[in-house]
Amino acid sequence: MDASTDDDATLSDFVRAQDLLERDGQLAEYVEVRRWLEDTAREFQPVETRKGYLFYTRRSIRTQDTADSNAMSDNTQLVTDIDPDASSRQRRDIAIEDHEYTTSLLRTLFEYVRRGRMSDAMALCVESDEPWRAASMKGGLFWRDPQLEDAESTDRVGGNINRNLWKHACAALAHDTGNDSYERALYAALSGRVDEVLTVCVTWNDFVWAHVNAVIEMRMDHGLRGACVYEQAPATSFAHVQSRRTCATDMAQVFDIVESLDGCVQNEARDPLRRLQRALATNTFAEYVEEFAQALSPETDVRMVRVVAHASLCVRQSGAELPEPAVSAVLEAYVDRLACDHDELVAAYVAQMPTERQTHVYAQFVQMLNVSRDHRMQLLQRAERHGLDTHAVCRAATLAGVQPDDLLDSSDPSDS
């Protein structure tokens, strides 16, 4: 056992997970992609909070217990106990009003998890008098013992020391066909499964999130496997709930899987903006911007030109290498669009081009404008503030405006 393994054996799962994210840059990127997918999920209307667990079922049971009740025959299929397992244990129903609320509640819980709002999901459970649901979801927190990190710490131990066993239990709930579809999707998402989550996905964003979430959980499990300060509980009895689908192993496979789907999701995957997002998420933006530059034409959507131009600048600023001719071509196309309505911004974008292109592009822009002398001077002043060589720009613009016939007309008469 090497030194790093010995060190890991004395750390809590929480610290080991943090260390894994710091060491594995690709995994950290996947987490950021998942957060982006959560932040950009479509809006939804959460269910209202309702106090009193199974209120209508409880009332019906009290009615049945009344000797002179006439409702006895109408409710013989209702449960006789009020606990979370009563329906499955007795194979009886709860009141229709409670069933409808529970269905809406489960969907809301999934939608909250889908958007990374776990705290909102657990708060809704507690406020709706179903704290046991919050407890079942909280098992995903990594176990943490502050004293293993700092001997003088007085913080309390938290998280789940048997998180792996909890994930298998969640998978079992997701695998159970007797449960509500959103309940299955909820626990599938928590355990990193995709089978049941995909059944409630609607948009391209949903499908990508389901697969990215599964990839992250798989890589976290693999990275945390091994030496540990405690002996984990066995989970061999859950072998029958293994996922039927082959999980993607990287971001490129995630997008390939989603793009292979039929219907509107496949059409959405072909959207130009989705193709750009795929390139950014899979670190293939350099290839993307080169293809985009080659396909530029006057018919290219100005919105995509704007987005790709700004994405190029951001990616380049992050330190990534991009093909300069392609980036310059995109910026020039964007400058052409800006010249019509926002000429005051042109200098800022021309300054991001290679030096040898700056003078030519800005001189062409200034020469083609039909504006007053004062406005032209303001544009040159902006160019100077952005570091452009205004003297070279003026010379190039002047030469561009001189026609060959003008040169002949200005020749010395004595030469004739």
Side-chain angles (χ1 to χ4, degrees), residues 163-274:
R163 187 176 186 270
N164 187 53
L165 179 61
W166 168 82
K167 288 185 66 174
H168 281 81
C170 288
L173 286 171
H175 185 264
D176 188 349
T177 57
N179 291 330
D180 177 86
S181 59
Y182 277 98
E183 183 174 26
R184 298 178 68 191
L186 168 66
Y187 288 105
L190 293 175
S191 60
R193 289 169 62 93
V194 295
D195 304 58
E196 297 77 19
V197 180
L198 296 181
T199 63
V200 299
C201 290
V202 177
T203 65
W204 175 91
N205 193 299
D206 294 333
F207 282 95
V208 174
W209 177 85
H211 287 286
V212 171
N213 180 66
V215 171
I216 291 173
E217 287 296 331
M218 179 187 66
R219 294 186 65 142
M220 290 291 291
D221 290 344
H222 180 75
L224 296 178
R225 189 179 302 153
C228 189
V229 73
Y230 60 89
E231 182 177 354
Q232 298 187 14
T236 54
S237 61
F238 293 101
H240 67 288
V241 300
Q242 295 301 312
S243 178
R244 297 185 303 275
R245 296 177 181 267
T246 301
C247 183
T249 58
D250 57 40
M251 198 65 70
Q253 287 186 14
V254 167
F255 287 101
D256 287 340
I257 291 172
V258 175
E259 289 175 7
S260 68
L261 299 175
D262 296 329
C264 60
V265 175
Q266 187 180 71
N267 294 334
E268 189 178 358
R270 294 171 179 168
D271 182 88
L273 186 59
R274 297 305 188 194

Side-chain angles (χ1 to χ4, degrees), residues 25-306:
Q26 192 175 62
L27 177 58
E29 288 181 2
Y30 291 178
V31 172
E32 288 301 317
V33 171
R34 182 175 65 179
R35 184 176 293 117
W36 163 69
L37 291 166
E38 291 168 348
D39 292 342
T40 57
R42 68 191 189 284
E43 294 184 0
F44 82 104
Q45 182 61 45
V47 71
E48 74 282 0
T49 301
R50 194 182 77 177
K51 290 291 185 181
Y53 178 58
L54 298 183
F55 173 81
Y56 293 98
T57 302
R58 189 186 303 271
R59 188 173 67 177
S60 295
I61 291 175
R62 286 199 299 266
T63 301
Q64 290 182 26
D65 290 340
T66 303
D68 59 347
S69 173
N70 294 323
M72 187 75 174
S73 60
D74 296 332
N75 296 308
T76 54
Q77 296 303 313
L78 285 181
V79 295
T80 58
D81 296 328
I82 300 296
D83 63 81
D85 298 320
S87 183
S88 59
R89 183 179 66 252
Q90 297 182 349
R91 298 186 180 278
R92 291 189 172 192
D93 301 324
I94 58 177
I96 184 64
E97 298 88 347
D98 292 330
H99 177 75
E100 291 175 350
Y101 179 77
T102 299
T103 300
S104 298
L105 174 68
L106 291 170
R107 177 169 186 170
T108 297
L109 295 179
F110 170 77
E111 297 291 358
Y112 274 142
V113 171
R114 161 70 182 84
R115 288 156 180 78
R117 298 167 59 180
M118 179 68 75
S119 59
D120 290 334
M122 291 191 291
L124 176 61
C125 293
V126 175
E127 292 167 2
S128 298
D129 289 340
E130 300 190 25
W132 55 273
R133 289 194 191 275
S136 70
M137 297 166 62
K138 196 175 182 180
L141 296 179
F142 287 102
W143 170 68
R144 183 179 190 182
D145 187 346
Q147 291 191 355
L148 292 177
E149 307 161 26
D150 182 1
E152 299 181 358
S153 175
T154 58
D155 294 339
R156 298 177 60 183
V157 175
N160 187 359
I161 200 169
N162 283 315
R163 187 176 186 270
N164 187 53
L165 179 61
W166 168 82
K167 288 185 66 174
H168 281 81
C170 288
L173 286 171
H175 185 264
D176 188 349
T177 57
N179 291 330
D180 177 86
S181 59
Y182 277 98
E183 183 174 26
R184 298 178 68 191
L186 168 66
Y187 288 105
L190 293 175
S191 60
R193 289 169 62 93
V194 295
D195 304 58
E196 297 77 19
V197 180
L198 296 181
T199 63
V200 299
C201 290
V202 177
T203 65
W204 175 91
N205 193 299
D206 294 333
F207 282 95
V208 174
W209 177 85
H211 287 286
V212 171
N213 180 66
V215 171
I216 291 173
E217 287 296 331
M218 179 187 66
R219 294 186 65 142
M220 290 291 291
D221 290 344
H222 180 75
L224 296 178
R225 189 179 302 153
C228 189
V229 73
Y230 60 89
E231 182 177 354
Q232 298 187 14
T236 54
S237 61
F238 293 101
H240 67 288
V241 300
Q242 295 301 312
S243 178
R244 297 185 303 275
R245 296 177 181 267
T246 301
C247 183
T249 58
D250 57 40
M251 198 65 70
Q253 287 186 14
V254 167
F255 287 101
D256 287 340
I257 291 172
V258 175
E259 289 175 7
S260 68
L261 299 175
D262 296 329
C264 60
V265 175
Q266 187 180 71
N267 294 334
E268 189 178 358
R270 294 171 179 168
D271 182 88
L273 186 59
R274 297 305 188 194
R275 291 171 58 83
L276 167 61
Q277 291 165 343
R278 170 180 176 145
L280 291 170
T282 56
N283 291 323
T284 58
F285 184 73
E287 294 84 349
Y288 171 86
V289 73
E290 199 153 23
E291 293 178 5
F292 185 85
Q294 292 174 357
L296 279 171
S297 72
E299 290 74 33
T300 304
D301 188 345
V302 64
R303 293 171 298 180
M304 279 306 301
V305 175
R306 179 176 66 248

